[in-house]
Amino acid sequence: MSSMSKLTTPSNRRQFLTLLGLSAVAVSCGTGGGGPAKDQAKTLRYQGWAGSVILPELAEDLGFLEDVKLKWVGNTISGPQDIQSAATGQVDFGGAFNGAVVKLAARKAPITAVISYYGVDKAAYNGFYVLKDSPIHSARDLIGKKVGMNTLGAHSEAMLDIYLQRHGLSPADIKKVEPLVVPPVNTEQSLRQKQIQVGVLGDILRDKALETGGVRPLFTDHQLLGDFSAGTYVVNDRFLKENPDTARTFVTGVARAIEWARARPREEVVARQIEIVKKRGRNEDTGPLKYWKSFAVAETAGRITDKEFQLWIDWLAERGDIEKGQVKASDLYTNEFNAYSRKDTRKNTPKDRPSAAEPTSESGS
């Protein structure tokens, strides 16, 4: 069997990722009593993404994390893996699609979402692309077809299911649509070689494919749901309890980075990210960063609301991945540590080291 054949071998679409199947015992190492430590942690371990700049890295470079430092321990392979690492204490924060957060929380993992970090808008979105001469023009045309995406049980499969449901396909017909794991860098090639009939493409990979030509969108997640925040950073509950001031500095710093990026010209944000990647000296390609358009966080300062989770709670319950009523949206997150103030939208020069943002009255769990 060729490597590409192995790549497109069907996986069980009910499987959410082996990592998320760890028992509550395995993740319970993050629980424990005790109040805030006298000397709170000031260094946060995290996983990054090769060739990319995540919001905490941007916040640190801008001085928004103040005396809190980041320690890179390697790159993650997926959002679900990243938050699993946060649950087990291997890192101090991790980020993933909100459906993955719901799934992990349903398994009693000791985590709490503290801020949104990515989303979908008219500039930053994923599209489900077919070849220009493809006979696929509707949801029903997808029956029996292969759809390539980066991982199963996450953002792309959720979008596919919602699209199929909204266009009237029955559960039996939906099961006949075949989502497959295909690495993003191979998706365009797989589509053009007709090893898959639909490929999920976003950011630089989408723009490059469209520039080459010969493909067209069947639908996009922005067309489906409009602007929305899609993923959050989670922190282990024990860390939040023992290091509340550090958590507040971190979350507020990320919030400020979100609003800094929203307010600044795109060219300036891109230049800053390229500078960050070059400074860390990991021999990474900065080319893709030139295609960056937006972090697409919908709410001001990345504050979280019930709606960011409720859609995925309902989706997972309908799939049978969680039981109805098993998870309550408001129990999954807190805005307590987000002390962002609109005063922080003031312009800072690149070398400014801003003072802490003033707390607002908006908080809760």
Short mmCIF file of all heavy atoms in Angstrom, two decimals, residues 223-280:
data_model
loop_
_atom_site.label_atom_id
_atom_site.label_comp_id
_atom_site.label_asym_id
_atom_site.label_seq_id
_atom_site.Cartn_x
_atom_site.Cartn_y
_atom_site.Cartn_z
N GLN A 223 -19.22 31.10 5.64
CA GLN A 223 -20.55 31.10 5.02
C GLN A 223 -21.55 30.36 5.90
O GLN A 223 -22.72 30.72 5.97
CB GLN A 223 -20.49 30.44 3.65
CG GLN A 223 -19.74 31.23 2.59
CD GLN A 223 -19.54 30.45 1.31
OE1 GLN A 223 -19.62 29.22 1.29
NE2 GLN A 223 -19.27 31.16 0.21
N LEU A 224 -21.06 29.35 6.59
CA LEU A 224 -21.92 28.49 7.39
C LEU A 224 -22.37 29.16 8.69
O LEU A 224 -23.55 29.14 9.04
CB LEU A 224 -21.18 27.19 7.71
CG LEU A 224 -21.99 25.96 8.09
CD1 LEU A 224 -22.95 25.56 6.97
CD2 LEU A 224 -21.03 24.81 8.40
N LEU A 225 -21.42 29.79 9.40
CA LEU A 225 -21.71 30.31 10.73
C LEU A 225 -21.38 31.78 10.94
O LEU A 225 -21.62 32.31 12.03
CB LEU A 225 -20.96 29.48 11.78
CG LEU A 225 -21.33 28.00 11.89
CD1 LEU A 225 -20.43 27.31 12.90
CD2 LEU A 225 -22.79 27.83 12.28
N GLY A 226 -20.82 32.44 9.93
CA GLY A 226 -20.46 33.84 10.09
C GLY A 226 -19.24 34.00 10.97
O GLY A 226 -18.41 33.09 11.11
N ASP A 227 -19.10 35.17 11.61
CA ASP A 227 -17.98 35.42 12.50
C ASP A 227 -18.20 34.69 13.82
O ASP A 227 -19.27 34.80 14.44
CB ASP A 227 -17.85 36.92 12.80
CG ASP A 227 -17.45 37.73 11.58
OD1 ASP A 227 -17.22 37.14 10.51
OD2 ASP A 227 -17.37 38.97 11.69
N PHE A 228 -17.20 33.95 14.28
CA PHE A 228 -17.31 33.30 15.59
C PHE A 228 -15.93 32.92 16.11
O PHE A 228 -15.02 32.66 15.33
CB PHE A 228 -18.22 32.07 15.54
CG PHE A 228 -17.69 30.92 14.71
CD1 PHE A 228 -17.03 29.86 15.31
CD2 PHE A 228 -17.88 30.89 13.33
CE1 PHE A 228 -16.56 28.78 14.54
CE2 PHE A 228 -17.41 29.83 12.57
CZ PHE A 228 -16.75 28.77 13.17
N SER A 229 -15.79 32.91 17.43
CA SER A 229 -14.57 32.41 18.06
C SER A 229 -14.68 30.90 18.13
O SER A 229 -15.70 30.37 18.57
CB SER A 229 -14.39 33.00 19.46
OG SER A 229 -14.15 34.40 19.38
N ALA A 230 -13.62 30.21 17.71
CA ALA A 230 -13.71 28.76 17.56
C ALA A 230 -12.88 27.96 18.55
O ALA A 230 -13.12 26.78 18.75
CB ALA A 230 -13.30 28.37 16.13
N GLY A 231 -11.87 28.59 19.16
CA GLY A 231 -10.99 27.85 20.05
C GLY A 231 -10.58 28.66 21.26
O GLY A 231 -10.56 29.89 21.22
N THR A 232 -10.26 27.98 22.35
CA THR A 232 -9.86 28.66 23.58
C THR A 232 -8.59 28.05 24.15
O THR A 232 -8.27 26.89 23.90
CB THR A 232 -10.97 28.54 24.65
OG1 THR A 232 -11.40 27.19 24.76
CG2 THR A 232 -12.15 29.43 24.34
N TYR A 233 -7.89 28.87 24.94
CA TYR A 233 -6.78 28.36 25.74
C TYR A 233 -7.34 27.85 27.04
O TYR A 233 -8.20 28.50 27.67
CB TYR A 233 -5.75 29.45 26.01
CG TYR A 233 -4.86 29.77 24.84
CD1 TYR A 233 -4.73 31.08 24.37
CD2 TYR A 233 -4.14 28.77 24.18
CE1 TYR A 233 -3.93 31.38 23.29
CE2 TYR A 233 -3.34 29.06 23.10
CZ TYR A 233 -3.24 30.37 22.66
OH TYR A 233 -2.45 30.65 21.58
N VAL A 234 -6.88 26.68 27.47
CA VAL A 234 -7.30 26.11 28.74
C VAL A 234 -6.10 26.02 29.68
O VAL A 234 -4.95 25.90 29.23
CB VAL A 234 -7.94 24.72 28.57
CG1 VAL A 234 -9.11 24.77 27.61
CG2 VAL A 234 -6.91 23.69 28.11
N VAL A 235 -6.39 26.10 30.97
CA VAL A 235 -5.37 26.00 32.00
C VAL A 235 -5.83 24.99 33.03
O VAL A 235 -7.04 24.87 33.31
CB VAL A 235 -5.13 27.37 32.67
CG1 VAL A 235 -4.07 27.27 33.77
CG2 VAL A 235 -4.69 28.41 31.63
N ASN A 236 -4.89 24.23 33.58
CA ASN A 236 -5.21 23.26 34.62
C ASN A 236 -5.79 23.97 35.84
O ASN A 236 -5.31 25.02 36.26
CB ASN A 236 -3.92 22.52 35.01
CG ASN A 236 -4.18 21.36 35.94
OD1 ASN A 236 -4.43 21.55 37.13
ND2 ASN A 236 -4.10 20.15 35.42
N ASP A 237 -6.84 23.39 36.42
CA ASP A 237 -7.52 24.03 37.54
C ASP A 237 -6.60 24.25 38.74
O ASP A 237 -6.71 25.26 39.45
CB ASP A 237 -8.72 23.19 37.97
CG ASP A 237 -9.83 23.19 36.93
OD1 ASP A 237 -9.85 24.11 36.08
OD2 ASP A 237 -10.67 22.27 36.95
N ARG A 238 -5.72 23.30 38.98
CA ARG A 238 -4.81 23.46 40.11
C ARG A 238 -3.90 24.67 39.89
O ARG A 238 -3.63 25.43 40.83
CB ARG A 238 -3.98 22.19 40.28
CG ARG A 238 -2.99 22.26 41.43
CD ARG A 238 -2.29 20.95 41.67
NE ARG A 238 -1.35 21.03 42.78
CZ ARG A 238 -0.67 20.00 43.25
NH1 ARG A 238 -0.82 18.80 42.69
NH2 ARG A 238 0.15 20.15 44.26
N PHE A 239 -3.42 24.85 38.66
CA PHE A 239 -2.56 26.00 38.37
C PHE A 239 -3.31 27.30 38.63
O PHE A 239 -2.76 28.25 39.21
CB PHE A 239 -2.07 25.96 36.92
CG PHE A 239 -1.08 27.03 36.58
CD1 PHE A 239 0.28 26.79 36.67
CD2 PHE A 239 -1.50 28.30 36.20
CE1 PHE A 239 1.21 27.79 36.38
CE2 PHE A 239 -0.58 29.30 35.91
CZ PHE A 239 0.77 29.04 36.01
N LEU A 240 -4.57 27.37 38.20
CA LEU A 240 -5.37 28.59 38.40
C LEU A 240 -5.54 28.89 39.88
O LEU A 240 -5.48 30.05 40.30
CB LEU A 240 -6.73 28.44 37.73
CG LEU A 240 -6.76 28.41 36.21
CD1 LEU A 240 -8.18 28.18 35.72
CD2 LEU A 240 -6.21 29.71 35.62
N LYS A 241 -5.75 27.84 40.68
CA LYS A 241 -5.96 28.03 42.11
C LYS A 241 -4.70 28.48 42.82
O LYS A 241 -4.76 29.32 43.73
CB LYS A 241 -6.47 26.72 42.73
CG LYS A 241 -6.93 26.85 44.17
CD LYS A 241 -7.61 25.58 44.63
CE LYS A 241 -8.19 25.77 46.04
NZ LYS A 241 -8.93 24.55 46.50
N GLU A 242 -3.56 27.94 42.41
CA GLU A 242 -2.31 28.25 43.10
C GLU A 242 -1.60 29.47 42.54
O GLU A 242 -0.73 30.04 43.21
CB GLU A 242 -1.37 27.04 43.02
CG GLU A 242 -1.90 25.82 43.76
CD GLU A 242 -0.93 24.65 43.73
OE1 GLU A 242 0.05 24.71 42.95
OE2 GLU A 242 -1.15 23.68 44.48
N ASN A 243 -1.96 29.89 41.31
CA ASN A 243 -1.26 31.00 40.67
C ASN A 243 -2.23 32.00 40.04
O ASN A 243 -2.14 32.32 38.85
CB ASN A 243 -0.32 30.46 39.59
CG ASN A 243 0.69 29.46 40.12
OD1 ASN A 243 1.72 29.82 40.67
ND2 ASN A 243 0.37 28.19 39.95
N PRO A 244 -3.17 32.53 40.82
CA PRO A 244 -4.19 33.41 40.23
C PRO A 244 -3.64 34.71 39.64
O PRO A 244 -4.13 35.17 38.61
CB PRO A 244 -5.13 33.70 41.41
CG PRO A 244 -4.27 33.51 42.63
CD PRO A 244 -3.36 32.37 42.28
N ASP A 245 -2.62 35.28 40.28
CA ASP A 245 -2.07 36.53 39.76
C ASP A 245 -1.32 36.30 38.44
O ASP A 245 -1.42 37.09 37.50
CB ASP A 245 -1.12 37.16 40.79
CG ASP A 245 -1.84 37.53 42.07
OD1 ASP A 245 -3.05 37.83 42.00
OD2 ASP A 245 -1.20 37.50 43.15
N THR A 246 -0.58 35.19 38.39
CA THR A 246 0.11 34.84 37.15
C THR A 246 -0.90 34.57 36.05
O THR A 246 -0.72 35.02 34.90
CB THR A 246 0.99 33.60 37.36
OG1 THR A 246 1.99 33.90 38.33
CG2 THR A 246 1.66 33.17 36.06
N ALA A 247 -1.96 33.86 36.37
CA ALA A 247 -3.00 33.58 35.38
C ALA A 247 -3.62 34.87 34.87
O ALA A 247 -3.87 35.02 33.67
CB ALA A 247 -4.08 32.68 36.00
N ARG A 248 -3.86 35.81 35.78
CA ARG A 248 -4.46 37.08 35.37
C ARG A 248 -3.52 37.86 34.46
O ARG A 248 -3.94 38.45 33.46
CB ARG A 248 -4.84 37.91 36.60
CG ARG A 248 -5.56 39.20 36.28
CD ARG A 248 -6.18 39.82 37.52
NE ARG A 248 -7.29 39.01 38.01
CZ ARG A 248 -7.26 38.21 39.06
NH1 ARG A 248 -6.13 38.09 39.76
NH2 ARG A 248 -8.31 37.51 39.43
N THR A 249 -2.24 37.87 34.77
CA THR A 249 -1.27 38.56 33.92
C THR A 249 -1.22 37.91 32.54
O THR A 249 -1.20 38.60 31.52
CB THR A 249 0.13 38.52 34.57
OG1 THR A 249 0.08 39.19 35.83
CG2 THR A 249 1.16 39.22 33.67
N PHE A 250 -1.20 36.60 32.52
CA PHE A 250 -1.15 35.87 31.25
C PHE A 250 -2.38 36.13 30.40
O PHE A 250 -2.28 36.51 29.23
CB PHE A 250 -1.00 34.37 31.52
CG PHE A 250 -1.21 33.50 30.31
CD1 PHE A 250 -0.25 33.45 29.30
CD2 PHE A 250 -2.37 32.75 30.16
CE1 PHE A 250 -0.45 32.67 28.17
CE2 PHE A 250 -2.57 31.96 29.04
CZ PHE A 250 -1.62 31.92 28.04
N VAL A 251 -3.56 35.90 30.96
CA VAL A 251 -4.80 36.04 30.19
C VAL A 251 -4.99 37.48 29.72
O VAL A 251 -5.34 37.73 28.56
CB VAL A 251 -6.01 35.57 31.02
CG1 VAL A 251 -7.30 35.84 30.26
CG2 VAL A 251 -5.88 34.08 31.35
N THR A 252 -4.75 38.42 30.61
CA THR A 252 -4.90 39.83 30.23
C THR A 252 -3.89 40.22 29.16
O THR A 252 -4.21 40.99 28.24
CB THR A 252 -4.75 40.73 31.47
OG1 THR A 252 -5.72 40.35 32.45
CG2 THR A 252 -4.97 42.20 31.10
N GLY A 253 -2.68 39.68 29.25
CA GLY A 253 -1.68 39.97 28.23
C GLY A 253 -2.09 39.44 26.87
O GLY A 253 -1.92 40.11 25.84
N VAL A 254 -2.64 38.24 26.84
CA VAL A 254 -3.13 37.67 25.57
C VAL A 254 -4.29 38.50 25.05
O VAL A 254 -4.39 38.77 23.84
CB VAL A 254 -3.54 36.20 25.76
CG1 VAL A 254 -4.22 35.67 24.51
CG2 VAL A 254 -2.32 35.35 26.10
N ALA A 255 -5.17 38.95 25.95
CA ALA A 255 -6.29 39.80 25.55
C ALA A 255 -5.79 41.08 24.89
O ALA A 255 -6.33 41.54 23.87
CB ALA A 255 -7.15 40.13 26.77
N ARG A 256 -4.75 41.65 25.47
CA ARG A 256 -4.19 42.89 24.91
C ARG A 256 -3.57 42.63 23.54
O ARG A 256 -3.65 43.48 22.64
CB ARG A 256 -3.17 43.47 25.88
CG ARG A 256 -3.78 43.87 27.21
CD ARG A 256 -2.77 44.50 28.15
NE ARG A 256 -2.40 45.83 27.66
CZ ARG A 256 -1.57 46.64 28.31
NH1 ARG A 256 -1.01 46.24 29.44
NH2 ARG A 256 -1.28 47.82 27.83
N ALA A 257 -2.94 41.47 23.39
CA ALA A 257 -2.36 41.13 22.09
C ALA A 257 -3.44 40.97 21.03
O ALA A 257 -3.25 41.37 19.87
CB ALA A 257 -1.54 39.84 22.21
N ILE A 258 -4.58 40.39 21.41
CA ILE A 258 -5.70 40.26 20.47
C ILE A 258 -6.13 41.63 19.97
O ILE A 258 -6.29 41.86 18.76
CB ILE A 258 -6.89 39.56 21.16
CG1 ILE A 258 -6.58 38.09 21.39
CG2 ILE A 258 -8.17 39.71 20.32
CD1 ILE A 258 -7.59 37.38 22.28
N GLU A 259 -6.30 42.56 20.90
CA GLU A 259 -6.77 43.89 20.51
C GLU A 259 -5.69 44.71 19.81
O GLU A 259 -5.98 45.52 18.94
CB GLU A 259 -7.31 44.64 21.74
CG GLU A 259 -8.55 43.99 22.34
CD GLU A 259 -9.65 43.78 21.30
OE1 GLU A 259 -9.90 44.69 20.48
OE2 GLU A 259 -10.24 42.68 21.29
N TRP A 260 -4.42 44.46 20.17
CA TRP A 260 -3.32 45.12 19.45
C TRP A 260 -3.33 44.70 17.99
O TRP A 260 -3.24 45.53 17.08
CB TRP A 260 -1.99 44.75 20.11
CG TRP A 260 -0.78 45.38 19.46
CD1 TRP A 260 -0.21 46.57 19.77
CD2 TRP A 260 0.00 44.84 18.37
NE1 TRP A 260 0.87 46.83 18.96
CE2 TRP A 260 1.02 45.77 18.09
CE3 TRP A 260 -0.07 43.66 17.63
CZ2 TRP A 260 1.97 45.56 17.07
CZ3 TRP A 260 0.87 43.46 16.63
CH2 TRP A 260 1.87 44.39 16.36
N ALA A 261 -3.45 43.40 17.75
CA ALA A 261 -3.46 42.88 16.38
C ALA A 261 -4.69 43.36 15.61
O ALA A 261 -4.63 43.61 14.40
CB ALA A 261 -3.41 41.36 16.39
N ARG A 262 -5.80 43.51 16.30
CA ARG A 262 -7.02 43.96 15.66
C ARG A 262 -6.92 45.43 15.23
O ARG A 262 -7.46 45.84 14.20
CB ARG A 262 -8.21 43.79 16.62
CG ARG A 262 -9.56 43.73 15.93
CD ARG A 262 -10.70 43.87 16.93
NE ARG A 262 -10.69 42.94 18.04
CZ ARG A 262 -11.23 41.74 18.02
NH1 ARG A 262 -11.80 41.30 16.91
NH2 ARG A 262 -11.22 40.97 19.10
N ALA A 263 -6.21 46.22 16.04
CA ALA A 263 -6.14 47.66 15.80
C ALA A 263 -5.02 48.08 14.84
O ALA A 263 -5.09 49.14 14.23
CB ALA A 263 -5.96 48.40 17.13
N ARG A 264 -4.00 47.26 14.72
CA ARG A 264 -2.84 47.63 13.91
C ARG A 264 -3.01 47.24 12.44
O ARG A 264 -3.75 46.30 12.12
CB ARG A 264 -1.59 46.93 14.45
CG ARG A 264 -1.21 47.35 15.85
CD ARG A 264 -0.65 48.75 15.86
NE ARG A 264 -0.16 49.12 17.19
CZ ARG A 264 0.65 50.15 17.43
NH1 ARG A 264 1.04 50.90 16.44
NH2 ARG A 264 1.04 50.41 18.66
N PRO A 265 -2.31 47.92 11.55
CA PRO A 265 -2.34 47.52 10.13
C PRO A 265 -1.82 46.10 9.97
O PRO A 265 -0.91 45.66 10.69
CB PRO A 265 -1.39 48.53 9.47
CG PRO A 265 -1.35 49.70 10.39
CD PRO A 265 -1.48 49.12 11.78
N ARG A 266 -2.40 45.36 9.05
CA ARG A 266 -2.01 43.96 8.85
C ARG A 266 -0.52 43.83 8.59
O ARG A 266 0.14 42.92 9.11
CB ARG A 266 -2.79 43.37 7.66
CG ARG A 266 -2.62 41.86 7.52
CD ARG A 266 -3.27 41.33 6.26
NE ARG A 266 -2.49 41.64 5.08
CZ ARG A 266 -1.48 40.89 4.63
NH1 ARG A 266 -1.13 39.79 5.26
NH2 ARG A 266 -0.80 41.25 3.56
N GLU A 267 0.05 44.75 7.81
CA GLU A 267 1.47 44.68 7.47
C GLU A 267 2.34 44.76 8.72
O GLU A 267 3.38 44.10 8.82
CB GLU A 267 1.83 45.80 6.50
CG GLU A 267 1.18 45.71 5.14
CD GLU A 267 -0.30 46.12 5.15
OE1 GLU A 267 -0.73 46.73 6.16
OE2 GLU A 267 -1.00 45.81 4.17
N GLU A 268 1.91 45.56 9.68
CA GLU A 268 2.69 45.70 10.91
C GLU A 268 2.62 44.42 11.75
O GLU A 268 3.63 43.99 12.32
CB GLU A 268 2.16 46.89 11.74
CG GLU A 268 2.95 47.12 13.02
CD GLU A 268 2.43 48.31 13.83
OE1 GLU A 268 1.61 49.08 13.30
OE2 GLU A 268 2.85 48.44 14.99
N VAL A 269 1.44 43.81 11.82
CA VAL A 269 1.29 42.58 12.59
C VAL A 269 2.10 41.45 11.94
O VAL A 269 2.75 40.67 12.63
CB VAL A 269 -0.19 42.19 12.70
CG1 VAL A 269 -0.34 40.93 13.55
CG2 VAL A 269 -1.01 43.32 13.30
N VAL A 270 2.07 41.39 10.61
CA VAL A 270 2.84 40.37 9.89
C VAL A 270 4.33 40.57 10.15
O VAL A 270 5.06 39.61 10.44
CB VAL A 270 2.54 40.42 8.38
CG1 VAL A 270 3.55 39.58 7.61
CG2 VAL A 270 1.12 39.94 8.10
N ALA A 271 4.81 41.81 10.05
CA ALA A 271 6.22 42.10 10.25
C ALA A 271 6.66 41.72 11.66
O ALA A 271 7.77 41.18 11.87
CB ALA A 271 6.49 43.58 10.00
N ARG A 272 5.79 41.97 12.62
CA ARG A 272 6.13 41.64 14.01
C ARG A 272 6.25 40.13 14.19
O ARG A 272 7.15 39.63 14.88
CB ARG A 272 5.06 42.20 14.94
CG ARG A 272 5.41 42.15 16.43
CD ARG A 272 6.53 43.13 16.74
NE ARG A 272 6.91 43.13 18.13
CZ ARG A 272 6.93 44.21 18.90
NH1 ARG A 272 6.57 45.38 18.40
NH2 ARG A 272 7.33 44.15 20.15
N GLN A 273 5.35 39.38 13.58
CA GLN A 273 5.39 37.92 13.69
C GLN A 273 6.64 37.35 13.01
O GLN A 273 7.27 36.42 13.54
CB GLN A 273 4.13 37.31 13.07
CG GLN A 273 2.86 37.62 13.85
CD GLN A 273 1.65 36.91 13.28
OE1 GLN A 273 1.52 35.70 13.41
NE2 GLN A 273 0.76 37.65 12.64
N ILE A 274 6.99 37.88 11.87
CA ILE A 274 8.20 37.43 11.17
C ILE A 274 9.43 37.69 12.03
O ILE A 274 10.33 36.84 12.16
CB ILE A 274 8.33 38.12 9.81
CG1 ILE A 274 7.22 37.61 8.86
CG2 ILE A 274 9.71 37.89 9.20
CD1 ILE A 274 7.17 38.33 7.53
N GLU A 275 9.46 38.85 12.67
CA GLU A 275 10.57 39.20 13.56
C GLU A 275 10.67 38.22 14.73
O GLU A 275 11.76 37.78 15.10
CB GLU A 275 10.37 40.63 14.08
CG GLU A 275 11.44 41.11 15.05
CD GLU A 275 11.11 42.47 15.64
OE1 GLU A 275 10.27 43.19 15.06
OE2 GLU A 275 11.69 42.80 16.69
N ILE A 276 9.52 37.84 15.29
CA ILE A 276 9.51 36.90 16.42
C ILE A 276 10.06 35.54 16.00
O ILE A 276 10.87 34.92 16.71
CB ILE A 276 8.07 36.76 16.97
CG1 ILE A 276 7.64 38.06 17.65
CG2 ILE A 276 7.98 35.59 17.97
CD1 ILE A 276 6.17 38.12 18.01
N VAL A 277 9.61 35.05 14.85
CA VAL A 277 10.07 33.74 14.37
C VAL A 277 11.58 33.77 14.11
O VAL A 277 12.30 32.82 14.46
CB VAL A 277 9.31 33.33 13.08
CG1 VAL A 277 9.95 32.10 12.45
CG2 VAL A 277 7.86 33.04 13.40
N LYS A 278 12.08 34.83 13.52
CA LYS A 278 13.51 34.93 13.24
C LYS A 278 14.31 34.96 14.54
O LYS A 278 15.38 34.33 14.64
CB LYS A 278 13.80 36.17 12.40
CG LYS A 278 13.34 36.05 10.95
CD LYS A 278 13.68 37.29 10.16
CE LYS A 278 13.31 37.14 8.69
NZ LYS A 278 13.59 38.37 7.90
N LYS A 279 13.81 35.67 15.54
CA LYS A 279 14.55 35.80 16.80
C LYS A 279 14.65 34.48 17.55
O LYS A 279 15.61 34.27 18.29
CB LYS A 279 13.88 36.85 17.69
CG LYS A 279 14.16 38.29 17.29
CD LYS A 279 13.75 39.28 18.36
CE LYS A 279 12.28 39.24 18.67
NZ LYS A 279 11.87 40.30 19.63
N ARG A 280 13.70 33.58 17.40
CA ARG A 280 13.76 32.35 18.18
C ARG A 280 14.72 31.33 17.57
O ARG A 280 15.01 30.32 18.20
CB ARG A 280 12.37 31.76 18.40
CG ARG A 280 11.60 31.33 17.20
CD ARG A 280 10.12 31.14 17.57
NE ARG A 280 9.33 30.53 16.50
CZ ARG A 280 7.99 30.58 16.46
NH1 ARG A 280 7.33 31.20 17.42
NH2 ARG A 280 7.33 30.00 15.48
#
